[in-house]
Amino acid sequence: MDKIKQITIPDHARIIVVSDIHGELELLTSVLEKVSFSSDDYLIINGDLCEKGSNSSGVVSYVMQLTEANDKVHVTEGNCDSLVEELLNESPTFIDYLRFRPQSIFNEWLKQIGYSIHDNTTVQEVKELLIPHFKDEIKWLVELPTAIETREYLFVHAGIENKSNWQETDREMALTMQAFLEKEHQAEQFVIVGHWPVSNYKSNIEVNNPIINYDKKMIAIDGGNIIKDTGQLNVFIIDRQKDGDIFSYSYVDRFPISKVLADFYSDGESSGVINYPYYQVKPIEVSIDFTLCEQVKTSKLLLVKNEYLKQADDSRYFVKTDLSCAQLSVKKGDKVAIIDDTCSGYILVKKDGIVGWISKNVI
């Protein structure tokens, strides 16, 4: 890993960390406003500014302006940001990527100059079109550091390898490593990562909030924004204190909010999460609203909402997408985000970053 940036953050400062924005400029500005971000704060954006969302070019321009106006704003590269090298290196698969990924900063840039790719478009042609118009943005993306190091913290998009000299981590691994919290590292600092949605780590209930592992000195903050149907854009906050830093977090999403009208208590049995790629299940017992299923990969028994089950041509059954199989307990007056209110009997909601089902009778 060659691009490592060292910075010094003084005591009593506040550090705000955001990752995996994925082109959602409105969510980024909303979450910074929610935590009252100011020029006195240190802001670390920990990779994946662009791709998959609706306004990648807007996010890149906005963050570039932040870094130019405030030397306390720092950015690491993510695997989605490093795709600019596929353009510069004229990767033969780049045009296929543009066709497959319409929500891409490159397609946004091409649209801004009035060009649409066609069957005969080449990567060389796209490169020649984009560089004159977006040379500053391209240069800025290419020069982003892979890691930012302070005395107490190491910010890297996906993770570091378990080596005595973590700086020897392969750059590709630093940008694409999966499930970092399940691994080990030998750095002295807390390692703060995004990239891998935190809900992938939970087995009994879907939670999108940051995870802190004090024993391993690891913090994972990717709330699954854009990647997960129930995702959110997390912001992780470090308040530097003389007696020890204090961690907290907040988040924003796009779901409408409703007030709970009556208490609802989980049955205590409905729990579990189905995550990609373990969608195959075996139905065991069908009821009005849920079907008791065995997850083929794990043999876990899960109550799956009937509307989320589908039967393949070969008669196997699958869950349509990542799905919470838990019920939530809520109280009258609670505010919940409505994720899916189209099913019979129950509504999929999120409360304080936790996703589950409640009865329609209480909304």
Side-chain angles (χ1 to χ4, degrees):
M1 190 193 312
D2 296 325
K3 298 188 293 181
I4 302 172
K5 181 179 182 180
Q6 274 115 13
I7 64 173
T8 301
I9 298 179
D11 296 338
H12 306 293
R14 186 171 74 145
I15 307 171
I16 295 172
V17 192
V18 184
S19 76
D20 299 271
I21 301 162
H22 287 302
E24 292 299 300
L25 178 59
E26 185 178 327
L27 289 184
L28 173 60
T29 57
S30 294
V31 82
L32 293 180
E33 181 179 356
K34 186 174 183 179
V35 298
S36 301
F37 167 66
S38 75
S39 58
D40 294 328
D41 298 316
Y42 283 78
L43 174 62
I44 308 292
I45 297 180
N46 205 19
D48 277 6
L49 287 80
C50 54
E51 303 303 283
K52 301 181 174 71
S54 60
N55 192 1
S56 291
S57 61
V59 170
V60 169
S61 296
Y62 177 75
V63 175
M64 285 178 66
Q65 292 170 14
L66 284 179
T67 60
E68 292 167 2
N70 186 348
D71 61 5
K72 297 186 183 72
V73 178
H74 304 275
V75 186
T76 67
E77 64 176 342
N79 56 298
C80 288
D81 313 308
S82 68
L83 287 170
V84 70
E85 295 179 3
E86 299 292 299
L87 170 68
L88 297 180
N89 295 333
E90 300 181 1
S91 168
T93 62
F94 184 76
I95 297 300
D96 288 337
Y97 173 82
L98 293 188
R99 292 193 178 100
F100 172 76
R101 183 74 67 183
Q103 298 282 36
S104 166
I105 192 170
F106 308 104
N107 281 320
E108 290 178 21
W109 283 344
L110 288 170
K111 184 176 180 180
Q112 289 174 28
I113 62 174
Y115 183 88
S116 298
I117 60 172
H118 48 79
D119 291 343
N120 296 322
T121 299
T122 65
V123 62
Q124 293 83 5
E125 182 181 2
V126 172
K127 178 179 176 181
E128 291 174 1
L129 285 168
L130 292 183
I131 287 180
H133 291 91
F134 303 101
K135 62 179 183 299
D136 293 338
E137 291 87 346
I138 291 170
K139 180 176 183 292
W140 185 80
L141 287 168
V142 167
E143 293 179 351
L144 288 176
T146 307
I148 292 174
E149 181 183 18
T150 75
R151 185 177 58 195
E152 296 85 4
Y153 301 99
L154 175 61
F155 304 92
V156 61
H157 182 61
I160 57 173
E161 295 180 88
N162 188 17
K163 296 180 176 181
S164 58
N165 185 358
W166 65 264
Q167 293 89 343
E168 295 178 355
T169 296
D170 178 76
R171 179 192 176 214
E172 185 72 14
M173 289 293 291
L175 299 183
T176 63
M177 184 182 296
Q178 297 183 351
F180 179 60
L181 288 189
E182 298 173 359
K183 300 174 173 52
E184 305 286 340
H185 73 85
Q186 298 178 48
E188 296 180 357
Q189 303 99 319
F190 264 99
V191 183
I192 301 180
V193 301
H195 184 64
W196 192 249
V198 293
S199 63
N200 287 350
Y201 292 111
K202 300 293 183 181
S203 59
N204 63 331
I205 195 166
E206 181 180 341
V207 183
N208 294 302
N209 302 326
I211 300 173
I212 306 169
N213 189 317
Y214 289 94
D215 292 334
K216 289 186 173 184
K217 301 187 77 170
M218 295 176 170
I219 301 172
I221 70 169
D222 180 6
N225 174 48
I226 292 294
I227 305 301
K228 300 281 188 176
D229 292 340
T230 60
Q232 61 198 36
L233 182 60
N234 287 332
V235 58
F236 189 76
I237 303 169
I238 305 168
D239 280 303
R240 306 292 314 280
Q241 301 287 334
K242 182 179 180 181
D243 297 329
D245 293 353
I246 298 174
F247 299 149
S248 62
Y249 65 86
S250 187
Y251 71 85
V252 295
D253 57 35
R254 295 188 181 279
F255 301 111
I257 302 296
S258 287
K259 184 178 288 188
V260 176
L261 303 178
D263 293 351
F264 175 80
Y265 296 98
S266 167
D267 60 10
E269 298 177 359
S270 300
S271 63
V273 180
I274 293 176
N275 283 320
Y276 174 85
Y278 306 130
Y279 290 164
Q280 187 179 355
V281 295
K282 292 181 180 178
I284 297 173
E285 183 179 346
V286 181
S287 63
I288 295 175
D289 295 305
F290 295 91
T291 296
L292 180 64
C293 297
E294 179 185 351
Q295 190 176 31
V296 171
K297 180 67 177 180
T298 66
S299 298
K300 290 180 180 178
L301 295 180
L302 300 165
L303 283 171
V304 178
K305 196 70 181 73
N306 292 340
E307 290 85 349
Y308 282 80
L309 281 173
K310 64 178 180 180
Q311 186 176 10
D313 293 339
D314 57 6
S315 296
R316 292 183 300 166
Y317 281 84
F318 295 86
V319 175
K320 295 178 182 179
T321 185
D322 289 12
L323 182 67
S324 172
C325 298
Q327 291 185 7
L328 289 185
S329 293
V330 294
K331 293 183 177 181
K332 181 180 179 179
D334 284 349
K335 292 182 178 180
V336 295
I338 305 298
I339 295 172
D340 183 2
D341 60 359
T342 65
C343 298
S344 66
Y346 287 80
I347 300 176
L348 187 63
V349 303
K350 177 162 58 175
K351 177 189 173 188
D352 300 328
I354 303 172
V355 179
W357 298 91
I358 65 173
S359 171
K360 280 190 171 181
N361 294 332
V362 303
I363 290 291

